[in-house]
Amino acid sequence: MTADAHALTGPHDVARWEPGTHILWRYRGNGERYGDQVHIARPVTVVRDDAELLAVWMAPGTRCVKPVLADGTPVHREPLRTRYRKPRTTTVERWWGTGVLKLARPGDPWSVWLFWRPEWRFKNWYVNLEAPHRRWSGGVDSQDHFLDIAVNPDGSWRWLDVDEFTQAQADGWVGPELAESVREAGARAVSVIEEWGPPFRDDWPAWRPDPSWTVPTLPDDWDRLIPRAP
């Protein structure tokens, strides 16, 4: 399978994707109001897909879906005290960064992203705490859990977005059980970092995309909902 994998046929018995396949890396919205909607959709190219790891590349210039407030205000520009109280919609924008390599191990409640500065100077790892990925024919779905971890090349790390995680709880977007689960996931991720386990010990900072790869396109039905498992 080397062509686009966007034949949204359902989540059952999804085959492994070959390197070079285009899929969608998606996140549902948060809270009861948005939990069944797709608020983030990023076309990516599969780097590796096996029983141990799904690795994908989001290229510069990729057209991605992201959430905004209903009046068009970027989410990050809204004061935190009202950020999760105002209605949201989505918009499409290009990713103008240097590209992101995303790594997800099956069942882990986080993924690890690698960022570079221009000329492939490695910047840092980023641990995105999220629901374990659910595979379907066109890609993977998850839900972001607000709390994140930045990991420097020297192995030092720090928490990110603790204020957003706290506010999301106060506004009912993250319930007590989920909050505890996220904190436990964060502690597990920190253990992996401090032990310098995979993928940090692997040579991913030296990875480079195949120059023949094209930038994936955003399909018209990027927001098609896949029924959740019973």
Side-chain angles (χ1 to χ4, degrees), residues 1-26 42 44-57 102 104 106 133-142 213 226:
M1 184 189 303
T2 56
D4 283 7
H6 293 147
L8 308 175
T9 56
H12 306 295
D13 300 322
V14 177
R16 297 291 175 186
W17 296 300
E18 296 290 338
T21 303
H22 294 170
I23 65 172
L24 283 175
W25 182 286
R26 308 195 310 180
R42 297 169 177 167
V44 295
T45 302
V46 174
V47 174
R48 169 182 161 186
D49 182 27
D50 55 39
E52 296 182 354
L53 185 72
L54 172 64
V56 303
W57 168 244
K102 300 187 177 189
H133 286 196
R134 184 176 178 221
R135 297 169 65 97
W136 52 282
S137 63
V140 292
D141 283 6
S142 182
W213 285 349
I226 307 303

Side-chain angles (χ1 to χ4, degrees), residues 7-218:
L8 308 175
T9 56
H12 306 295
D13 300 322
V14 177
R16 297 291 175 186
W17 296 300
E18 296 290 338
T21 303
H22 294 170
I23 65 172
L24 283 175
W25 182 286
R26 308 195 310 180
Y27 292 94
R28 301 187 314 276
N30 298 90
E32 293 184 5
R33 182 172 184 177
Y34 301 114
D36 288 325
Q37 299 177 18
V38 177
H39 274 193
I40 295 174
R42 297 169 177 167
V44 295
T45 302
V46 174
V47 174
R48 169 182 161 186
D49 182 27
D50 55 39
E52 296 182 354
L53 185 72
L54 172 64
V56 303
W57 168 244
M58 187 172 71
T62 301
R63 294 179 68 246
C64 301
V65 176
K66 73 173 191 177
V68 293
L69 300 188
D71 64 2
T73 300
V75 171
H76 70 277
R77 292 185 181 175
E78 179 68 20
L80 187 59
R81 66 181 182 277
T82 54
R83 186 174 301 174
Y84 306 123
R85 301 177 187 175
K86 293 187 176 182
R88 295 191 175 193
T89 186
T90 57
T91 190
V92 177
E93 291 186 0
R94 292 192 183 276
W95 178 271
W96 292 117
T98 54
V100 184
L101 180 66
K102 300 187 177 189
L103 312 173
R105 295 191 301 176
D108 275 355
W110 66 77
S111 59
V112 178
W113 306 357
L114 283 80
F115 291 90
W116 287 266
R117 295 185 174 89
E119 300 181 357
W120 289 103
R121 291 174 294 142
F122 182 61
K123 180 182 178 184
N124 66 280
W125 289 272
Y126 180 94
V127 179
N128 196 71
L129 296 175
E130 58 195 28
H133 286 196
R134 184 176 178 221
R135 297 169 65 97
W136 52 282
S137 63
V140 292
D141 283 6
S142 182
Q143 185 179 58
D144 184 76
H145 287 160
F146 298 96
L147 195 59
D148 307 298
I149 307 170
V151 184
N152 297 316
D154 64 2
S156 60
W157 61 272
R158 69 185 187 281
W159 293 107
L160 298 175
D161 303 327
V162 175
D163 56 344
E164 294 186 13
F165 181 57
T166 301
Q167 190 68 45
Q169 293 174 70
D171 290 337
W173 281 34
V174 175
E177 289 187 13
L178 177 57
E180 181 61 25
S181 177
V182 173
R183 284 189 284 267
E184 290 175 357
R188 287 169 51 199
V190 167
S191 295
V192 174
I193 295 166
E194 294 183 339
E195 294 169 3
W196 212 239
F200 305 102
R201 69 186 182 199
D202 303 326
D203 198 27
W204 287 109
W207 175 87
R208 300 293 181 267
D210 187 324
S212 70
W213 285 349
T214 59
V215 177
T217 58
L218 181 68

